[in-house]
Amino acid sequence: MEVRPTSLPGVVLIASRCFEDERGFFAETYVTDKLRSAGVEFPCVQDNHVRSRAPYTIRGIHYQIEPFTQAKLVRVVRGSALDVAIDVRRGSPTFGRHFATTLTATEWVQMLVPAGFAHAIMSLEPDTEFTYKVTAPYAPKHERGIRFDDPDLAIPWGVPHDRIVVSPRDREMPRLRDQTDLPSYVGS
């Protein structure tokens, strides 16, 4: 496993090696000791699998507040998706900045979204599937969200907003500037 830093501290890409032969393939996608030796602590408590039928379906922008802040380890297992992490830790030097990358089922790269970051993923193909491990259980009363089209974030989705599929609940989420209970930044 290779851990690659990104433009946002804490957000990393994790590349796995895939071994293929006439039978198919084998890849290690989560090995605690290998991640730990690369400086990544990720105590997984839940694993989720999602399929988006239509291209340009956005799931998010979501995060959870304390005591249920979640880190996520996201991997596309079918199709491709734009994966986005946004620093929403009040007081962080990178507050409001985002990192976006395309993940595909064929490239064997995952994205680690740290606790205190909001997350969204947009399918780029029909029937895109992705899995994500989390470090805290889903806690509906602690879940928060941000509008996908928040002009202050200016996330480059790459398609006109009228082609994007978003749930009614996510479409009505407030902007980042209107959030009242954001995770705290603990500086180093």
Side-chain angles (χ1 to χ4, degrees):
M1 298 183 132
E2 177 190 354
V3 176
R4 303 173 190 156
T6 69
S7 60
L8 282 181
V11 177
V12 296
L13 300 176
I14 300 169
S16 297
R17 289 189 57 202
C18 179
F19 301 94
E20 294 189 60
D21 62 23
E22 66 280 350
R23 299 169 297 164
F25 65 80
F26 171 84
E28 293 177 338
T29 60
Y30 180 82
V31 182
T32 302
D33 290 343
K34 287 183 180 181
L35 290 172
R36 188 175 292 131
S37 69
V40 176
E41 287 289 330
F42 193 87
C44 175
V45 300
Q46 184 174 320
D47 196 14
N48 304 306
H49 190 133
V50 179
R51 178 177 68 195
S52 291
R53 289 189 178 102
Y56 315 126
T57 298
I58 294 178
R59 306 227 181 215
I61 303 171
H62 301 146
Y63 65 96
Q64 289 189 174
I65 59 170
E66 294 152 357
F68 295 101
T69 56
Q70 293 179 322
K72 295 179 180 179
L73 183 58
V74 184
R75 181 168 74 93
V76 170
V77 296
R78 181 179 181 183
S80 60
L82 181 68
D83 203 11
V84 182
I86 303 104
D87 187 350
V88 296
R89 300 168 299 165
R90 194 171 302 285
S92 166
T94 56
F95 178 79
R97 286 185 36 205
H98 67 272
F99 172 78
T101 192
T102 299
L103 299 178
T104 72
T106 58
E107 291 181 350
W108 295 96
V109 174
Q110 303 173 84
M111 186 162 87
L112 175 70
V113 179
F117 282 64
H119 177 253
I121 190 164
M122 181 179 73
S123 60
L124 298 175
E125 300 177 43
D127 293 316
T128 291
E129 294 184 37
F130 61 95
T131 64
Y132 62 101
K133 295 173 176 15
V134 295
T135 59
Y138 175 61
K141 292 182 180 179
H142 294 80
E143 183 183 31
R144 302 295 183 268
I146 303 165
R147 291 182 62 90
F148 81 97
D149 58 353
D150 183 334
D152 294 333
L153 297 178
I155 296 170
W157 297 109
V159 293
H161 288 182
D162 63 350
R163 294 189 62 200
I164 291 175
V165 178
V166 180
S167 73
R169 181 185 82 128
D170 286 348
R171 192 170 294 282
E172 297 304 317
M173 290 290 183
R175 293 170 64 171
L176 177 58
R177 69 169 58 172
D178 298 326
Q179 301 291 323
T180 58
D181 50 359
L182 292 166
S184 301
Y185 172 69
V186 179
S188 52

